[in-house]
Amino acid sequence: SMAENYIAQDLAQLNTTYVDLMLLHHICATPEETVAVWGALEAMKRKGQARAIGVSNFEVPDLTMLAAHATEPIEANQCHFAVGEIDTETLTYCKAHGIALESYGTLHGGVAMDHPTVAAIAARHKVSAALVMLRYVSQHGITIVTASDNLE
């Protein structure tokens, strides 16, 4: 019921009757709780309050567990992907199961933007280091959700 209350609060705060995508931000304390919260998202979708539902920060064991109980498909998984931080196991699983991948924090990963290899690629193609890093992730078929508080 907490999940249903949060969904209602989200819709009220956004002053809308539906969202395009609602995500379960992370696994819950127990698998049973995760499945129960997923059930609230499934109900939300059936009521037309969400066009799509998905998860965030789920790895293969989490996805496998949830998929075994889900009646609606897991449509998206938003995770941290960046240069030097590509979870190929999750990438492969999601592609095989039709789960769209979204990346957050793409410019903040295991490799800094001023890394010599990134800088050399950027110079060779006459683009910014940020564009090189974004392209590296997007060429894996991952949609990028990005923001920054750094103007550069």
Side-chain angles (χ1 to χ4, degrees):
S1 66
M2 283 178 55
E4 292 167 355
N5 288 335
Y6 286 132
I7 290 167
Q9 287 175 17
D10 289 346
L11 293 173
Q13 285 177 356
L14 293 168
N15 193 29
T16 188
T17 58
Y18 77 94
V19 292
D20 290 321
L21 176 63
M22 178 64 80
L23 299 176
L24 171 55
H25 183 61
H26 52 74
I27 60 169
C28 300
T30 66
E32 295 78 18
E33 186 180 0
T34 301
V35 169
V37 173
W38 181 256
L41 268 64
E42 289 179 329
M44 180 187 191
K45 185 175 178 186
R46 286 192 298 274
K47 290 183 213 173
Q49 295 175 318
R51 291 186 176 168
I53 55 176
V55 295
S56 182
N57 302 304
F58 275 49
E59 296 175 345
V60 173
D62 310 318
L63 293 164
T64 303
M65 178 281 299
L66 185 57
H69 299 281
T71 59
E72 292 283 341
I74 303 166
E75 296 170 283
N77 186 12
Q78 187 178 90
C79 302
H80 180 238
F81 290 100
V83 175
E85 293 185 22
I86 298 287
D87 178 350
T88 56
E89 186 180 6
T90 298
L91 177 67
T92 301
Y93 181 94
C94 288
K95 284 184 179 182
H97 292 89
I99 301 170
L101 277 171
E102 298 178 350
S103 174
Y104 65 83
T106 306
L107 299 177
H108 309 284
V111 175
M113 236 189 285
D114 61 356
H115 188 280
T117 302
V118 173
I121 293 168
R124 184 176 330 125
H125 295 281
K126 297 180 174 78
V127 298
S128 69
L131 188 58
V132 169
M133 295 177 82
L134 294 170
R135 176 64 182 189
Y136 176 79
V137 172
S138 69
Q139 74 185 9
H140 285 88
I142 301 169
T143 300
I144 297 169
V145 179
T146 190
S148 181
D149 59 1
N150 181 331
L151 292 176
E152 287 79 26

